[in-house]
Amino acid sequence: MPNILILGGTTEASALAVACAEGAIPTTLSYAGRTASPRTQPVAVRVGGFGGAVGLAAYLRRERITHLVDATHPFAARISANAVAAADTAGVPLVALTRPAWRAQAGDRWQRVPDVAGAVEALGGPPLRVMLAVGRMHVADFAARPQHAYLLRFVDRPEAPPALPRHHLVVDRGPFTVDGDRRLMEAHGIDLVVAKNAGGGGAAAKLHAARALGLPVVMIDRPPLPPRRELHDVATVLDWLDHGAERGV
Ligand code: 3Y8
Ligand code: NAP
């Protein structure tokens, strides 16, 4: 009897959980516990770290997990590295459900940077009104560029105000809409957008809105991830769950 563990936190992870529930496949979705009230799921949910790769391997054995699906965000590099190591240690087949990186299209004005530090570097110019749509974890890095007026968007209201002298905080969780993001950018007179190359549809609205408004985008490339089998849609993962894992493909 299969027993699936999905490492979640993305739109695709939630879609896979729905499919597993519909197929009555015993499944648990795992969150790190970064947000106050993560989306409810139609499968069992566990919240919190495992205690590194060793802890995850022990969890896989203890819970008799038969298949591990890493459906985490492309910037969640540590858990993805842990998943590769833990799956190998525990002898559990692993597949990543991930979305291809966004690519600049006609009309896009992207400046690609390798990481968050590169984005901070790129903001060395005169004061701008910047939509910093990269969440809460890296906002402190931008305190090195206090000259800008920042529009921030967090999932939860923070205990302490962000350490940016000029900022406006929006508390909202995606997926977002193009109209909503375009209205937000116009209302705040945004000059430039900073984004992570998350891929997928849940965070893409701001790119379409920036394109429509002719705004430049500082696009942060993804961190390196260990080699692993990567699939890009729920149907292919379900097929792998049915057959692929046994065939070792
Ligand atoms: C806790 C689970 C679902 C999944 C929805 C996707 C889409 C909406 C867009 C912007 C960009 C950002 C951020 C974002 C998006 C989806 C997806 C995605 C970006 C939740 C969730 C968890 C998190 C963690 C959170 C991070 C933050 C990043 C906000 C739930 C809502 C900016 C990434 O306060 C914090 O500590 C938040 C931290 C990691 C990145 C950061 O550095 O702050 N996601 N986001 C997961 C866990 O605990 O394991 O609460 O329901 C999930 C989603 N966020 O099922 O519908 O598929 O990507 N998430 C980015 O892409 O830049 C917002 O504002 O335009
Ligand atoms: P990370 O840096 O790769 O992981 C840091 C630690 O958090 C991991 O070592 C692990 O702790 C724990 N962890 C991460 N994801 C987990 C999960 N799904 N279940 C259980 N523990 C988890 O991860 P992150 O960038 O902080 O992302 C955390 C979560 O937010 C992930 O679920 C990710 O999908 C989601 N998310 C992240 C982003 C982003 O921009 N980073 C965007 C959208 C959603 P232990 O070592 O103790 O096991």
Side-chain angles (χ1 to χ4, degrees):
M1 185 66 172
N3 186 16
I4 317 301
L5 177 64
I6 304 171
L7 301 176
T10 59
T11 306
E12 290 75 14
S14 297
L16 179 60
V18 167
C20 288
E22 285 169 353
I25 304 170
T27 301
T28 301
L29 186 141
S30 177
Y31 283 121
R34 284 219 174 281
T35 52
S37 49
R39 170 194 286 265
T40 53
Q41 295 288 345
V43 297
V45 170
R46 66 164 300 286
V47 181
F50 294 98
V54 171
L56 177 51
Y59 179 93
L60 296 175
R61 285 201 196 91
R62 188 173 62 247
E63 299 300 323
R64 293 184 170 69
I65 299 297
T66 58
H67 301 73
L68 178 58
V69 181
D70 175 1
T72 57
H73 189 277
F75 278 69
R78 189 143 29 114
I79 186 68
S80 291
N82 291 355
V84 170
D88 184 47
T89 305
V92 171
L94 162 74
V95 76
L97 170 55
T98 184
R99 50 269 178 124
W102 293 317
R103 299 160 67 92
Q105 300 173 18
D108 283 344
R109 298 172 56 196
W110 285 13
Q111 176 188 353
R112 285 177 57 181
V113 294
D115 48 28
V116 172
V120 174
E121 195 54 39
L123 293 183
L128 292 171
R129 302 187 63 77
V130 178
M131 180 175 182
L132 194 55
V134 294
R136 182 185 59 83
M137 291 198 298
H138 303 288
V139 164
D141 298 40
F142 292 87
R145 299 294 190 211
Q147 71 271 32
H148 304 303
Y150 289 98
L151 171 62
L152 305 175
R153 180 152 65 184
F154 291 178
V155 179
D156 295 317
R157 186 159 295 285
E159 289 81 37
L164 296 173
R166 298 166 64 206
H167 72 269
H168 175 86
L169 174 62
V170 170
V171 179
D172 193 2
R173 67 168 55 223
F176 303 103
T177 64
V178 180
D179 282 350
D181 277 4
R182 178 172 177 156
R183 276 199 300 275
L184 188 65
M185 291 176 189
E186 288 174 323
H188 290 270
I190 296 301
D191 301 311
L192 178 139
V193 178
V194 180
K196 287 176 184 169
N197 197 324
K206 57 185 176 286
L207 302 186
H208 298 298
R211 186 181 304 128
L213 295 172
L215 297 180
V217 174
V218 171
M219 181 59 73
I220 304 171
D221 284 341
R222 298 173 169 191
L225 289 174
R228 72 257 168 95
R229 175 144 186 196
E230 293 189 356
L231 302 177
H232 296 308
D233 60 68
V234 167
T236 322
V237 173
L238 291 176
D239 183 53
W240 178 79
L241 291 175
D242 275 350
H243 316 295
E246 284 73 52
R247 290 201 306 266
V249 293

